[in-house]
Amino acid sequence: VRLGNSLNRTMGGDAAVKRWPRVGVGVLIVKEGKVLIGKRKGSHGAGQYALPGGKLEWRETWEQCARREILEETGIELIGDVTYAYTCEAVIDDDNHWITVFMRADVPADTTAVNTEPDKCEGWEWMEWGDDKVPTPRFLPLDIILKDAGPRRFEP
């Protein structure tokens, strides 16, 4: 792909590529006061604890993305309301600048999460919510929501 001369100069030469932040959707799935959290693998943030979720697809709403990603990653079909909770920006590394929209969904006590993508997650666990309760290392968006919003805002 060739860039126009003015764009090349603006972006620092032939090797420069124009990039934009991407949008991710993380989901706080709440069951009996606990939140579903897994350990990432095989991607940026490998070995870090994170909420289930993923990237927003073209023309998809945040709610649609949350429902799709949760079904794909955990086998849980979200039946009830999925509501907006919080937004943060995270520059994870030189190649990953994300705006993460957090959604919340409450599920029944008998809900079970299945690790349907073992190449991307070590497994799912229901954990107590709070900066002092969720283990480290944590994926940056999860760390941000725990520190910025605190437990009062998302009391499960």
Side-chain angles (χ1 to χ4, degrees):
V1 173
R2 253 183 89 101
L3 300 174
N5 287 338
S6 62
L7 189 56
N8 263 344
R9 284 192 299 275
T10 304
M11 296 171 52
D14 289 329
V17 175
K18 190 169 184 178
R19 300 187 299 183
W20 292 267
R22 292 176 276 180
V23 178
V25 175
V27 186
L28 294 136
I29 304 175
V30 180
K31 176 177 99 167
E32 296 186 309
K34 294 187 176 182
V35 176
L36 188 64
I37 297 175
K39 194 180 245 188
R40 295 172 64 91
K41 70 184 213 184
S43 180
H44 60 280
Q48 298 174 344
Y49 290 94
L51 296 168
K55 71 178 179 80
L56 185 69
E57 293 184 357
W58 183 251
R59 300 191 74 160
E60 186 175 49
T61 68
W62 300 337
E63 180 181 351
Q64 289 167 337
C65 180
R67 290 180 188 280
R68 176 184 53 77
E69 287 287 351
I70 296 312
L71 186 59
E72 289 174 2
E73 294 181 8
T74 70
I76 297 171
E77 185 175 0
L78 298 176
I79 304 299
D81 292 338
V82 178
T83 58
Y84 170 81
Y86 190 74
T87 302
C88 77
E89 176 184 23
V91 179
I92 296 164
D93 58 38
D94 287 343
D95 295 318
N96 287 288
H97 178 185
W98 290 86
I99 304 301
T100 302
V101 177
F102 292 96
M103 303 294 283
R104 178 186 171 137
D106 291 87
V107 295
D110 62 349
T111 301
T112 302
V114 176
N115 188 10
T116 58
E117 296 180 329
D119 56 320
K120 297 179 182 178
C121 179
E122 291 183 22
W124 298 109
E125 184 178 340
W126 297 101
M127 297 184 184
E128 289 188 37
W129 182 252
D131 187 34
D132 60 336
K133 296 177 181 158
V134 176
T136 57
R138 296 188 288 235
F139 192 50
L140 187 55
L142 174 58
D143 203 42
I144 290 171
I145 193 175
L146 282 164
K147 292 180 187 305
D148 283 1
R152 289 182 306 274
R153 180 148 186 192
F154 303 110
E155 195 66 42

